[in-house]
């Protein structure tokens, strides 16, 4: 069974391997267009994950504390004319 520590260690090792693969096999091994497309894809993926995490965290904070909620606590009083 995989533990959380094993997972984090494997994740960090994979990250280091990814940087090595990018530098030695993509950036230095092929044309610059491939390197640019790799960087653009990585940037878009990272931005999407960060934005989704930001929205999820905001929704969690809103749910737990009510901060940032746009709904009013009570309906406005309407008087008959």
């Amino acid at each position: 069974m995989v533990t959380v520590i094993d997972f984090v260690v494997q994740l960090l090792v994979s990250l280091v391997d990814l940087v090595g693969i990018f530098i030695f096999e993509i950036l230095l091994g092929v044309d610059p267009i491939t390197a640019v497309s790799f960087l653009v894809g990585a940037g878009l993926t990272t931005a999407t994950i960060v934005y989704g995490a930001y929205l999820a965290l905001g929704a969690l904070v809103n749910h737990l504390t009510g901060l940032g909620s746009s709904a009013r606590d009570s309906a406005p009083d309407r008087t008959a004319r």
Side-chain angles (χ1 to χ4, degrees):
M1 176 164 230
V2 178
T3 64
V4 175
I5 295 174
D6 292 337
F7 175 74
V8 171
V9 167
Q10 185 63 36
L11 188 65
L12 293 175
V13 168
S14 296
L15 182 64
V16 171
D17 288 343
L18 179 65
V19 171
I21 289 170
F22 174 71
I23 290 173
F24 295 113
E25 294 182 18
I26 295 177
L27 190 61
L28 300 176
V30 295
D31 60 322
I33 294 175
T34 304
V36 169
S37 67
F38 182 85
L39 287 175
V40 168
L44 289 173
T45 303
T46 302
T48 302
I49 290 171
V50 167
Y51 186 66
Y54 171 73
L55 291 177
L57 182 64
L60 181 65
V61 168
N62 187 7
H63 177 71
L64 294 176
T65 64
L67 294 175
S69 95
S70 58
R72 296 184 183 191
D73 289 335
S74 62
D77 294 333
R78 296 186 184 212
T79 57
R81 292 182 188 205

